[in-house]
């Protein structure tokens, strides 16, 4: 089954007071600073942390409910909601998707001090384990309720759970044989894989320990050298055992940084069990350590490594993908990103019209910030983008956006 997220719904999470964002294989958000683009990424990351660690640890990592809730308006927000719809059960579809939603409320305790407040969660997951039949798992207060369970039409199972337990975090008593449990496990595994890829160029330059974890590029790319070794070692048996992935990565790097002839992976001097990256450059004697390479070169290598990952996580978010990258390299990056989106979903932000020029209308999302402090996302529908592009006789989307024809300007 091709599990995928079809859309994101957020209410009162930072500046996202009420948004519903469709998500395709590739979704690129544009707009001015502080329009809420980063908050979209962080809302998804929050669900991933709930799946990995539970509700309370995910909140604690972000400070508190008050720091996460929308701070506009005259009254404090008492409820945050983040939800996704997608395909995780056997008979779900784009027209009738599965839905998961988590709401966290903060209430004043009766008879307590003004500062005495407590948190409560409500959680609901609707899935389609049988043709024409939807079942649901709901958590409210200290009760778990499964409706439409296999015991018969309209059957309902109820049992006690912890007040802040989450079905995402497998802290609920669902029998493994139940279709609801299988579907809930699928959405949990999907959300656990959500990551925000934000390369730390300083860390990526350094040698990395050789480990089995090298098969996964870390969110900050601090194990870049180890991950490159993993890509280098992959051989394609259908191509006579050639290192097809490594060869493609090298071609891409040479295309946008022509003076780089080769990438060498070597034992790090004086560090047993560590591997380092060295670049062979035209006209220079010896090799250039990655530690001495430019910011843009290192970040570009991080992104290319990410896009050539043969088994990427199911959803990767990238903030300001164009940061530090020469405009002439963005066409190639956009192409590789689209190819990678055939294996997994990508949600990225950019401020580059040159990058946006490479997009299709359904991949493009305009973000704005209203006078009340709330984000407006999307600020322009896909149909409106197509109409305005047609009216402009097919001008690239980036040019239209830069001219403020599509919104999302200053």
């Amino acid at each position: 089954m091709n599990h995928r997220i079809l859309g994101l719904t957020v209410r009162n999470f930072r500046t996202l007071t009420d948004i519903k964002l469709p998500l395709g294989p590739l979704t690129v958000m544009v707009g001015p600073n502080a329009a809420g683009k980063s908050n979209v990424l962080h809302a998804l990351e929050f669900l991933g942390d709930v799946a990995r660690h539970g509700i309370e640890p995910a909140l604690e990592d972000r400070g508190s409910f008050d720091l996460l809730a929308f701070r506009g308006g005259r009254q404090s927000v008492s409820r945050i909601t983040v939800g996704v719809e997608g395909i995780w059960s056997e008979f779900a579809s784009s027209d009738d998707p599965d839905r998961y939603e988590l709401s966290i409320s903060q209430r004043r305790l009766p008879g307590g001090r003004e500062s005495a407040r407590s948190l409560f969660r409500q959680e609901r997951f609707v899935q389609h384990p049988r043709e024409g039949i939807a079942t649901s798992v709901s958590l409210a207060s200290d009760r778990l309720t499964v409706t439409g369970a296999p015991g018969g039409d309209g059957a309902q199972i109820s049992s006690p759970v912890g007040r802040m337990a989450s079905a995402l975090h497998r802290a609920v008593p669902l029998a493994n044989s139940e279709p609801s449990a299988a579907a809930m496990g699928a959405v949990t595994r999907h959300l656990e894989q959500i990551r925000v890829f934000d390369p730390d160029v300083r860390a990526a330059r350094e040698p990395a320990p050789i480990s089995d974890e090298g098969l996964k590029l870390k969110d900050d790319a601090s194990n870049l050298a180890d991950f490159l070794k993993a890509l280098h070692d992959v051989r394609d048996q259908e191509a006579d055992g050639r290192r097809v992935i490594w060869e493609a990565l090298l071609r891409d790097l040479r295309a946008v940084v022509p003076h780089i002839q080769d990438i060498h992976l070597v034992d790090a001097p004086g560090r047993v069990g560590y591997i380092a990256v060295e670049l062979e450059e035209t006209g220079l004697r010896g090799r250039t350590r990655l530690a001495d390479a430019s910011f843009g070169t290192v970040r570009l290598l991080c992104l290319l490594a990410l896009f050539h990952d043969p088994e990427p996580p199911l959803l990767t978010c990238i903030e300001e993908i164009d940061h530090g990258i020469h405009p002439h390299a963005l066409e190639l990056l956009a192409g590789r990103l689209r190819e990678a989106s055939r294996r997994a979903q990508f949600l990225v932000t950019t401020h580059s019209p040159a990058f946006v020029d490479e997009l299709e209308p359904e991949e493009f999302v305009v973000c704005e910030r209203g006078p009340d402090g709330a984000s407006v996302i999307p600020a322009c529908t896909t149909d409106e983008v197509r109409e305005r592009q047609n009216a402009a006789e097919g001008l690239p989307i980036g040019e239209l956006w830069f001219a403020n024809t599509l919104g999302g300007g200053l």
Side-chain angles (χ1 to χ4, degrees), residues 159-213:
S159 57
V161 294
R163 179 175 55 84
M164 292 296 286
S166 169
L168 276 189
H169 194 46
R170 302 186 180 93
V172 296
L174 284 174
N176 289 334
S177 60
E178 292 182 4
S180 295
M184 195 73 243
V187 70
T188 294
R189 289 188 294 273
H190 196 143
L191 296 180
E192 282 177 334
Q193 292 192 44
I194 291 174
R195 66 169 174 186
V196 176
F197 185 67
D198 185 15
D200 180 341
V201 170
R202 185 187 298 272
R205 286 183 167 122
E206 295 299 315
I210 300 173
S211 70
D212 293 337
E213 296 178 356

Side-chain angles (χ1 to χ4, degrees), residues 3 7 17 20 60 88 168 193 196 198 201 273 306 356 360 370 405:
H3 295 159
T17 58
K20 187 169 184 179
E60 289 169 4
W88 297 288
L168 276 189
Q193 292 192 44
V196 176
D198 185 15
V201 170
L306 176 73
V356 175
E360 300 297 331
T405 303

Side-chain angles (χ1 to χ4, degrees), residues 4 14 22 67 69 115 168 180 188 211 217 220 227 242 251 255 276 281 295 321 339 345 365 373 408-409:
R4 61 190 184 276
R14 295 179 177 159
L67 291 177
S115 60
L168 276 189
S180 295
T188 294
S211 70
L217 184 59
D220 62 357
F227 184 70
R242 285 172 42 215
R251 283 196 301 272
E281 301 186 68
F295 177 96
I321 191 170
E339 291 172 4
Q345 281 184 289
V365 174

Side-chain angles (χ1 to χ4, degrees), residues 75 117 119 121 146 152 211 219 225 244 275 291 326-327 338 369:
Q75 295 184 332
R117 299 177 184 274
L119 294 176
R121 66 86 186 87
V146 181
S211 70
D219 296 351
V244 174
I275 192 166
H326 192 283
R338 185 174 288 112
R369 180 90 168 258

Side-chain angles (χ1 to χ4, degrees), residues 7 25 89 93 101 143 157 159 210 227 271 282 294 342 367 385 389 402:
S89 60
S93 66
E101 185 174 270
R143 302 297 297 180
I157 301 172
S159 57
I210 300 173
F227 184 70
R271 303 181 71 177
T282 302
S294 72
R342 296 170 189 160
C367 306
V385 173
Q389 189 177 31
F402 190 69

